[in-house]
Amino acid sequence: MSMELAGFLFGSLMVGGLAYAYISHERWKTIRAVYARDGDRRRNALIWPSR
């Protein structure tokens, strides 16, 4: 009985940890994409002035 409970707790912690890692990864990927686009726009503005 205690082994089943320990296995369930371990499995739950693993699933929770993987979900947290995936959400964190997606959040940082989105943040990097926004800043990369912003940086590209700034760089292009210096290379190709609007006027």
Short mmCIF file of all heavy atoms in Angstrom, two decimals:
data_model
loop_
_atom_site.label_atom_id
_atom_site.label_comp_id
_atom_site.label_asym_id
_atom_site.label_seq_id
_atom_site.Cartn_x
_atom_site.Cartn_y
_atom_site.Cartn_z
N MET A 1 0.82 -1.19 0.00
CA MET A 1 0.00 0.00 0.00
C MET A 1 0.87 1.27 0.00
O MET A 1 0.60 2.20 -0.74
CB MET A 1 -0.91 -0.04 1.23
CG MET A 1 -1.64 1.23 1.50
SD MET A 1 -3.24 1.19 0.73
CE MET A 1 -3.93 2.67 1.34
N SER A 2 1.89 1.29 0.81
CA SER A 2 2.73 2.49 0.88
C SER A 2 3.52 2.67 -0.42
O SER A 2 3.79 3.79 -0.82
CB SER A 2 3.67 2.42 2.07
OG SER A 2 4.55 1.33 1.94
N MET A 3 3.89 1.57 -1.07
CA MET A 3 4.61 1.68 -2.34
C MET A 3 3.70 2.26 -3.43
O MET A 3 4.15 3.07 -4.25
CB MET A 3 5.13 0.31 -2.79
CG MET A 3 6.30 -0.19 -1.95
SD MET A 3 7.68 0.94 -1.95
CE MET A 3 8.27 0.73 -3.61
N GLU A 4 2.44 1.86 -3.43
CA GLU A 4 1.50 2.42 -4.41
C GLU A 4 1.31 3.91 -4.17
O GLU A 4 1.26 4.71 -5.12
CB GLU A 4 0.14 1.71 -4.33
CG GLU A 4 0.17 0.30 -4.86
CD GLU A 4 0.52 -0.70 -3.77
OE1 GLU A 4 0.74 -0.29 -2.61
OE2 GLU A 4 0.61 -1.89 -4.09
N LEU A 5 1.21 4.31 -2.92
CA LEU A 5 1.04 5.72 -2.59
C LEU A 5 2.29 6.51 -2.98
O LEU A 5 2.19 7.59 -3.57
CB LEU A 5 0.76 5.89 -1.09
CG LEU A 5 0.56 7.32 -0.61
CD1 LEU A 5 -0.64 7.95 -1.31
CD2 LEU A 5 0.39 7.36 0.89
N ALA A 6 3.46 5.96 -2.69
CA ALA A 6 4.71 6.63 -3.07
C ALA A 6 4.82 6.74 -4.59
O ALA A 6 5.24 7.77 -5.11
CB ALA A 6 5.90 5.86 -2.50
N GLY A 7 4.43 5.70 -5.31
CA GLY A 7 4.46 5.73 -6.77
C GLY A 7 3.49 6.75 -7.33
O GLY A 7 3.81 7.48 -8.27
N PHE A 8 2.31 6.83 -6.73
CA PHE A 8 1.33 7.81 -7.18
C PHE A 8 1.83 9.23 -6.92
O PHE A 8 1.72 10.10 -7.80
CB PHE A 8 0.00 7.58 -6.46
CG PHE A 8 -1.03 8.63 -6.78
CD1 PHE A 8 -1.68 8.60 -8.00
CD2 PHE A 8 -1.32 9.63 -5.88
CE1 PHE A 8 -2.62 9.57 -8.32
CE2 PHE A 8 -2.26 10.60 -6.19
CZ PHE A 8 -2.92 10.57 -7.41
N LEU A 9 2.38 9.47 -5.76
CA LEU A 9 2.91 10.80 -5.44
C LEU A 9 4.06 11.17 -6.36
O LEU A 9 4.16 12.29 -6.86
CB LEU A 9 3.34 10.88 -3.98
CG LEU A 9 2.22 10.86 -2.95
CD1 LEU A 9 2.78 10.83 -1.54
CD2 LEU A 9 1.29 12.05 -3.14
N PHE A 10 4.96 10.23 -6.60
CA PHE A 10 6.09 10.47 -7.49
C PHE A 10 5.61 10.76 -8.91
O PHE A 10 6.07 11.70 -9.56
CB PHE A 10 7.03 9.26 -7.49
CG PHE A 10 8.22 9.44 -8.38
CD1 PHE A 10 9.25 10.29 -8.02
CD2 PHE A 10 8.30 8.76 -9.59
CE1 PHE A 10 10.35 10.47 -8.85
CE2 PHE A 10 9.39 8.93 -10.43
CZ PHE A 10 10.42 9.78 -10.05
N GLY A 11 4.65 9.98 -9.40
CA GLY A 11 4.10 10.21 -10.73
C GLY A 11 3.40 11.55 -10.84
O GLY A 11 3.54 12.26 -11.84
N SER A 12 2.65 11.91 -9.81
CA SER A 12 1.97 13.20 -9.81
C SER A 12 2.98 14.34 -9.82
O SER A 12 2.80 15.34 -10.54
CB SER A 12 1.07 13.33 -8.58
OG SER A 12 0.08 12.34 -8.60
N LEU A 13 4.04 14.22 -9.04
CA LEU A 13 5.07 15.25 -9.02
C LEU A 13 5.77 15.35 -10.37
O LEU A 13 6.09 16.45 -10.84
CB LEU A 13 6.09 14.97 -7.92
CG LEU A 13 5.62 15.27 -6.49
CD1 LEU A 13 6.66 14.79 -5.48
CD2 LEU A 13 5.33 16.73 -6.32
N MET A 14 6.01 14.21 -11.01
CA MET A 14 6.66 14.23 -12.32
C MET A 14 5.77 14.91 -13.36
O MET A 14 6.24 15.73 -14.15
CB MET A 14 6.99 12.80 -12.76
CG MET A 14 8.12 12.16 -11.99
SD MET A 14 9.68 13.03 -12.19
CE MET A 14 10.00 12.71 -13.90
N VAL A 15 4.50 14.58 -13.38
CA VAL A 15 3.57 15.19 -14.34
C VAL A 15 3.47 16.69 -14.08
O VAL A 15 3.50 17.50 -15.01
CB VAL A 15 2.19 14.50 -14.27
CG1 VAL A 15 1.14 15.30 -15.05
CG2 VAL A 15 2.28 13.09 -14.81
N GLY A 16 3.36 17.07 -12.81
CA GLY A 16 3.30 18.49 -12.46
C GLY A 16 4.57 19.22 -12.85
O GLY A 16 4.52 20.33 -13.37
N GLY A 17 5.71 18.60 -12.62
CA GLY A 17 6.98 19.22 -12.98
C GLY A 17 7.14 19.36 -14.48
O GLY A 17 7.63 20.39 -14.96
N LEU A 18 6.73 18.36 -15.22
CA LEU A 18 6.80 18.44 -16.68
C LEU A 18 5.85 19.51 -17.23
O LEU A 18 6.21 20.24 -18.15
CB LEU A 18 6.49 17.08 -17.31
CG LEU A 18 7.58 16.02 -17.13
CD1 LEU A 18 7.08 14.67 -17.64
CD2 LEU A 18 8.85 16.43 -17.85
N ALA A 19 4.67 19.60 -16.65
CA ALA A 19 3.72 20.63 -17.09
C ALA A 19 4.28 22.02 -16.80
O ALA A 19 4.19 22.92 -17.64
CB ALA A 19 2.37 20.44 -16.39
N TYR A 20 4.87 22.19 -15.62
CA TYR A 20 5.46 23.48 -15.27
C TYR A 20 6.62 23.83 -16.21
O TYR A 20 6.72 24.95 -16.67
CB TYR A 20 5.94 23.45 -13.82
CG TYR A 20 6.65 24.72 -13.42
CD1 TYR A 20 5.93 25.88 -13.16
CD2 TYR A 20 8.04 24.77 -13.34
CE1 TYR A 20 6.57 27.05 -12.81
CE2 TYR A 20 8.69 25.93 -12.99
CZ TYR A 20 7.95 27.07 -12.72
OH TYR A 20 8.60 28.23 -12.39
N ALA A 21 7.46 22.85 -16.51
CA ALA A 21 8.59 23.09 -17.41
C ALA A 21 8.10 23.45 -18.81
O ALA A 21 8.65 24.35 -19.45
CB ALA A 21 9.49 21.85 -17.46
N TYR A 22 7.06 22.78 -19.29
CA TYR A 22 6.53 23.07 -20.63
C TYR A 22 5.94 24.47 -20.68
O TYR A 22 6.19 25.23 -21.63
CB TYR A 22 5.49 22.03 -21.00
CG TYR A 22 4.83 22.31 -22.34
CD1 TYR A 22 5.53 22.08 -23.51
CD2 TYR A 22 3.54 22.81 -22.41
CE1 TYR A 22 4.95 22.35 -24.74
CE2 TYR A 22 2.95 23.07 -23.63
CZ TYR A 22 3.66 22.84 -24.80
OH TYR A 22 3.08 23.12 -26.00
N ILE A 23 5.16 24.84 -19.68
CA ILE A 23 4.55 26.17 -19.65
C ILE A 23 5.62 27.24 -19.55
O ILE A 23 5.56 28.26 -20.24
CB ILE A 23 3.53 26.27 -18.50
CG1 ILE A 23 2.32 25.39 -18.81
CG2 ILE A 23 3.10 27.71 -18.25
CD1 ILE A 23 1.38 25.20 -17.64
N SER A 24 6.62 27.01 -18.73
CA SER A 24 7.71 27.97 -18.57
C SER A 24 8.48 28.11 -19.89
O SER A 24 8.82 29.22 -20.30
CB SER A 24 8.63 27.52 -17.46
OG SER A 24 9.67 28.43 -17.28
N HIS A 25 8.73 27.00 -20.56
CA HIS A 25 9.44 27.03 -21.84
C HIS A 25 8.66 27.81 -22.88
O HIS A 25 9.22 28.64 -23.60
CB HIS A 25 9.68 25.60 -22.32
CG HIS A 25 10.20 25.52 -23.71
ND1 HIS A 25 11.48 25.86 -24.05
CD2 HIS A 25 9.60 25.13 -24.87
CE1 HIS A 25 11.65 25.69 -25.35
NE2 HIS A 25 10.52 25.26 -25.86
N GLU A 26 7.36 27.56 -22.98
CA GLU A 26 6.53 28.26 -23.95
C GLU A 26 6.47 29.76 -23.65
O GLU A 26 6.50 30.58 -24.55
CB GLU A 26 5.12 27.68 -23.97
CG GLU A 26 5.04 26.30 -24.59
CD GLU A 26 5.45 26.30 -26.05
OE1 GLU A 26 5.06 27.22 -26.78
OE2 GLU A 26 6.18 25.38 -26.46
N ARG A 27 6.42 30.10 -22.36
CA ARG A 27 6.37 31.52 -21.98
C ARG A 27 7.66 32.22 -22.39
O ARG A 27 7.63 33.29 -22.99
CB ARG A 27 6.16 31.64 -20.48
CG ARG A 27 6.04 33.07 -20.01
CD ARG A 27 5.88 33.13 -18.53
NE ARG A 27 7.00 32.42 -17.91
CZ ARG A 27 7.42 32.65 -16.69
NH1 ARG A 27 6.82 33.50 -15.94
NH2 ARG A 27 8.45 32.01 -16.21
N TRP A 28 8.81 31.61 -22.10
CA TRP A 28 10.08 32.23 -22.47
C TRP A 28 10.27 32.27 -23.98
O TRP A 28 10.85 33.21 -24.51
CB TRP A 28 11.25 31.52 -21.79
CG TRP A 28 11.36 31.91 -20.36
CD1 TRP A 28 11.12 31.11 -19.28
CD2 TRP A 28 11.70 33.19 -19.84
NE1 TRP A 28 11.30 31.83 -18.13
CE2 TRP A 28 11.66 33.10 -18.44
CE3 TRP A 28 12.03 34.41 -20.43
CZ2 TRP A 28 11.94 34.20 -17.63
CZ3 TRP A 28 12.32 35.49 -19.61
CH2 TRP A 28 12.26 35.37 -18.24
N LYS A 29 9.76 31.25 -24.68
CA LYS A 29 9.85 31.25 -26.13
C LYS A 29 9.05 32.42 -26.71
O LYS A 29 9.50 33.10 -27.64
CB LYS A 29 9.34 29.91 -26.68
CG LYS A 29 9.70 29.67 -28.12
CD LYS A 29 9.46 28.22 -28.53
CE LYS A 29 8.01 27.88 -28.55
NZ LYS A 29 7.73 26.59 -29.18
N THR A 30 7.88 32.67 -26.15
CA THR A 30 7.05 33.79 -26.60
C THR A 30 7.73 35.11 -26.30
O THR A 30 7.74 36.02 -27.15
CB THR A 30 5.68 33.73 -25.90
OG1 THR A 30 5.08 32.48 -26.17
CG2 THR A 30 4.78 34.85 -26.38
N ILE A 31 8.30 35.25 -25.12
CA ILE A 31 8.99 36.50 -24.76
C ILE A 31 10.17 36.74 -25.68
O ILE A 31 10.37 37.86 -26.17
CB ILE A 31 9.43 36.45 -23.28
CG1 ILE A 31 8.20 36.50 -22.38
CG2 ILE A 31 10.40 37.58 -22.96
CD1 ILE A 31 8.50 36.23 -20.92
N ARG A 32 10.96 35.71 -25.96
CA ARG A 32 12.10 35.86 -26.87
C ARG A 32 11.64 36.24 -28.27
O ARG A 32 12.27 37.05 -28.94
CB ARG A 32 12.91 34.57 -26.91
CG ARG A 32 13.88 34.43 -25.77
CD ARG A 32 14.86 33.31 -26.04
NE ARG A 32 14.21 32.03 -26.29
CZ ARG A 32 13.99 31.11 -25.36
NH1 ARG A 32 14.36 31.33 -24.12
NH2 ARG A 32 13.42 29.98 -25.67
N ALA A 33 10.54 35.67 -28.72
CA ALA A 33 10.03 35.97 -30.06
C ALA A 33 9.61 37.44 -30.15
O ALA A 33 9.87 38.10 -31.15
CB ALA A 33 8.86 35.06 -30.41
N VAL A 34 8.98 37.95 -29.11
CA VAL A 34 8.55 39.35 -29.12
C VAL A 34 9.76 40.27 -29.16
O VAL A 34 9.81 41.21 -29.95
CB VAL A 34 7.67 39.64 -27.89
CG1 VAL A 34 7.47 41.14 -27.71
CG2 VAL A 34 6.33 38.94 -28.03
N TYR A 35 10.75 39.99 -28.32
CA TYR A 35 11.93 40.86 -28.30
C TYR A 35 12.75 40.71 -29.57
O TYR A 35 13.36 41.67 -30.02
CB TYR A 35 12.77 40.58 -27.07
CG TYR A 35 12.21 41.21 -25.84
CD1 TYR A 35 11.80 40.45 -24.76
CD2 TYR A 35 12.06 42.59 -25.75
CE1 TYR A 35 11.27 41.03 -23.63
CE2 TYR A 35 11.54 43.18 -24.63
CZ TYR A 35 11.14 42.40 -23.57
OH TYR A 35 10.61 42.99 -22.46
N ALA A 36 12.78 39.54 -30.17
CA ALA A 36 13.53 39.35 -31.42
C ALA A 36 12.87 40.15 -32.54
O ALA A 36 13.55 40.79 -33.32
CB ALA A 36 13.58 37.87 -31.78
N ARG A 37 11.55 40.12 -32.59
CA ARG A 37 10.85 40.90 -33.61
C ARG A 37 11.08 42.39 -33.39
O ARG A 37 11.30 43.14 -34.32
CB ARG A 37 9.35 40.61 -33.56
CG ARG A 37 8.92 39.69 -34.66
CD ARG A 37 7.43 39.57 -34.73
NE ARG A 37 6.98 38.62 -33.72
CZ ARG A 37 6.00 38.85 -32.87
NH1 ARG A 37 5.31 39.95 -32.91
NH2 ARG A 37 5.66 37.95 -31.98
N ASP A 38 11.05 42.81 -32.14
CA ASP A 38 11.27 44.22 -31.82
C ASP A 38 12.70 44.61 -32.20
O ASP A 38 12.91 45.67 -32.77
CB ASP A 38 11.03 44.46 -30.33
CG ASP A 38 11.02 45.93 -29.98
OD1 ASP A 38 10.64 46.73 -30.86
OD2 ASP A 38 11.40 46.27 -28.86
N GLY A 39 13.66 43.76 -31.93
CA GLY A 39 15.05 44.05 -32.28
C GLY A 39 15.25 44.09 -33.78
O GLY A 39 15.98 44.93 -34.29
N ASP A 40 14.59 43.20 -34.52
CA ASP A 40 14.69 43.22 -35.98
C ASP A 40 14.11 44.51 -36.54
O ASP A 40 14.65 45.11 -37.44
CB ASP A 40 13.96 42.02 -36.59
CG ASP A 40 14.69 40.72 -36.33
OD1 ASP A 40 15.88 40.77 -35.96
OD2 ASP A 40 14.06 39.66 -36.48
N ARG A 41 13.01 44.94 -35.97
CA ARG A 41 12.37 46.15 -36.45
C ARG A 41 13.28 47.36 -36.20
O ARG A 41 13.44 48.21 -37.04
CB ARG A 41 11.03 46.34 -35.75
CG ARG A 41 10.21 47.44 -36.33
CD ARG A 41 8.77 47.48 -35.84
NE ARG A 41 8.59 47.09 -34.47
CZ ARG A 41 7.88 46.04 -34.07
NH1 ARG A 41 7.30 45.26 -34.95
NH2 ARG A 41 7.74 45.76 -32.79
N ARG A 42 13.91 47.40 -35.04
CA ARG A 42 14.82 48.49 -34.74
C ARG A 42 16.02 48.47 -35.69
O ARG A 42 16.43 49.48 -36.20
CB ARG A 42 15.31 48.39 -33.30
CG ARG A 42 14.78 49.51 -32.45
CD ARG A 42 15.34 49.47 -31.06
NE ARG A 42 14.50 48.61 -30.24
CZ ARG A 42 14.96 47.61 -29.50
NH1 ARG A 42 16.22 47.35 -29.44
NH2 ARG A 42 14.14 46.88 -28.80
N ARG A 43 16.58 47.29 -35.92
CA ARG A 43 17.74 47.17 -36.79
C ARG A 43 17.39 47.57 -38.21
O ARG A 43 18.12 48.28 -38.87
CB ARG A 43 18.25 45.73 -36.75
CG ARG A 43 19.66 45.59 -37.22
CD ARG A 43 20.20 44.19 -37.02
NE ARG A 43 19.76 43.59 -35.77
CZ ARG A 43 19.18 42.39 -35.68
NH1 ARG A 43 18.98 41.68 -36.75
NH2 ARG A 43 18.82 41.91 -34.52
N ASN A 44 16.23 47.14 -38.71
CA ASN A 44 15.82 47.49 -40.06
C ASN A 44 15.56 48.99 -40.18
O ASN A 44 15.79 49.58 -41.21
CB ASN A 44 14.57 46.71 -40.47
CG ASN A 44 14.91 45.26 -40.75
OD1 ASN A 44 16.06 44.94 -40.98
ND2 ASN A 44 13.91 44.40 -40.71
N ALA A 45 15.06 49.60 -39.11
CA ALA A 45 14.80 51.03 -39.16
C ALA A 45 16.12 51.80 -39.30
O ALA A 45 16.15 52.85 -39.93
CB ALA A 45 14.05 51.47 -37.91
N LEU A 46 17.18 51.28 -38.74
CA LEU A 46 18.46 51.96 -38.87
C LEU A 46 19.06 51.75 -40.26
O LEU A 46 19.68 52.64 -40.80
CB LEU A 46 19.44 51.44 -37.81
CG LEU A 46 19.10 51.79 -36.36
CD1 LEU A 46 20.07 51.09 -35.42
CD2 LEU A 46 19.17 53.30 -36.16
N ILE A 47 18.83 50.58 -40.81
CA ILE A 47 19.39 50.28 -42.13
C ILE A 47 18.55 50.97 -43.21
O ILE A 47 19.08 51.57 -44.15
CB ILE A 47 19.42 48.76 -42.37
CG1 ILE A 47 20.41 48.14 -41.41
CG2 ILE A 47 19.82 48.45 -43.80
CD1 ILE A 47 20.37 46.63 -41.38
N TRP A 48 17.23 50.90 -43.10
CA TRP A 48 16.33 51.49 -44.10
C TRP A 48 15.50 52.58 -43.43
O TRP A 48 14.41 52.33 -42.96
CB TRP A 48 15.39 50.41 -44.68
CG TRP A 48 16.12 49.26 -45.28
CD1 TRP A 48 16.27 48.04 -44.75
CD2 TRP A 48 16.80 49.25 -46.53
NE1 TRP A 48 17.01 47.24 -45.58
CE2 TRP A 48 17.34 47.96 -46.69
CE3 TRP A 48 17.01 50.18 -47.54
CZ2 TRP A 48 18.08 47.60 -47.80
CZ3 TRP A 48 17.74 49.83 -48.64
CH2 TRP A 48 18.26 48.55 -48.77
N PRO A 49 15.99 53.78 -43.38
CA PRO A 49 15.22 54.86 -42.76
C PRO A 49 13.90 55.10 -43.50
O PRO A 49 13.83 54.92 -44.72
CB PRO A 49 16.12 56.08 -42.86
CG PRO A 49 17.42 55.63 -43.39
CD PRO A 49 17.27 54.23 -43.88
N SER A 50 12.91 55.51 -42.78
CA SER A 50 11.60 55.69 -43.39
C SER A 50 11.56 56.93 -44.28
O SER A 50 10.74 57.04 -45.17
CB SER A 50 10.52 55.79 -42.31
OG SER A 50 10.78 56.88 -41.47
N ARG A 51 12.44 57.89 -44.04
CA ARG A 51 12.43 59.10 -44.87
C ARG A 51 13.76 59.34 -45.50
O ARG A 51 14.78 59.19 -45.03
CB ARG A 51 12.06 60.30 -44.03
CG ARG A 51 10.66 60.14 -43.48
CD ARG A 51 10.18 61.46 -42.94
NE ARG A 51 8.84 61.25 -42.46
CZ ARG A 51 7.78 61.83 -42.96
NH1 ARG A 51 7.90 62.66 -43.95
NH2 ARG A 51 6.60 61.60 -42.48
#
